[in-house]
Amino acid sequence: MHKGFLIIAAVLGALAVTLGAFGAHKLKELVPPETVSTFQTGVTYQFYHTFALLAVGILFSQFPAGAGLLEWAGRCFFIGVILFSGSLYVLTMIKATETVGLSKIGIVTPIGGLFFIAGWICLLLALLKK
């Protein structure tokens, strides 16, 4: 098993629950409904990829031939969470605080999505490796 990925997954999971609760109970008082939806998308994708990272950490012992690709899958999932979900959280914060000048942060979101896709492809290739 890859203990580092398991630890990161545990932290991301706890953070996703915390952010999800905040989004469900307090955020709607601060921002319009479409912004709450944006925030919730970040939480949802963070959760999905927390479980993906957990799976990668567990699969290390089962697929030693694919360890390098599994390493990249885990890295991509983590970077994807930071860029994709993180940018959506920042966009929500900008909306809530009416901050100006950072609205271009949304360009980072699809880059995070590409890291998610790369992570899934690396995971697939690792599992197919003999």
Side-chain angles (χ1 to χ4, degrees):
M1 282 195 258
H2 194 289
K3 188 174 181 179
F5 286 154
L6 298 176
I7 291 169
I8 292 169
V11 170
L12 289 177
L15 186 58
V17 171
T18 303
L19 291 170
F22 171 73
H25 299 290
K26 185 66 177 167
L27 188 60
K28 58 186 163 195
E29 298 171 14
L30 305 172
V31 295
E34 65 273 4
T35 305
V36 174
S37 177
T38 298
F39 184 85
Q40 198 57 42
T41 298
V43 172
T44 300
Y45 275 79
Q46 181 174 335
F47 253 129
Y48 292 157
H49 292 88
T50 294
F51 291 121
L53 192 55
L54 189 62
V56 166
I58 293 168
L59 289 170
F60 257 85
S61 62
Q62 300 297 315
F63 294 90
L69 285 165
L70 286 171
E71 184 85 30
W72 277 107
R75 289 176 185 161
C76 287
F77 291 146
F78 180 60
I79 293 168
V81 168
I82 299 302
L83 295 179
F84 184 90
S85 297
S87 66
L88 295 180
Y89 301 150
V90 169
L91 285 170
T92 301
M93 183 186 73
I94 289 168
K95 194 74 131 170
T97 60
E98 298 178 4
T99 305
V100 294
L102 295 175
S103 60
K104 301 279 189 233
I105 192 79
I107 194 71
V108 174
T109 309
I111 296 168
L114 290 174
F115 272 97
F116 286 151
I117 294 166
W120 287 108
I121 291 170
C122 287
L123 178 57
L124 172 65
L125 294 175
L127 298 176
L128 292 174
K129 202 164 190 178
K130 301 263 182 207

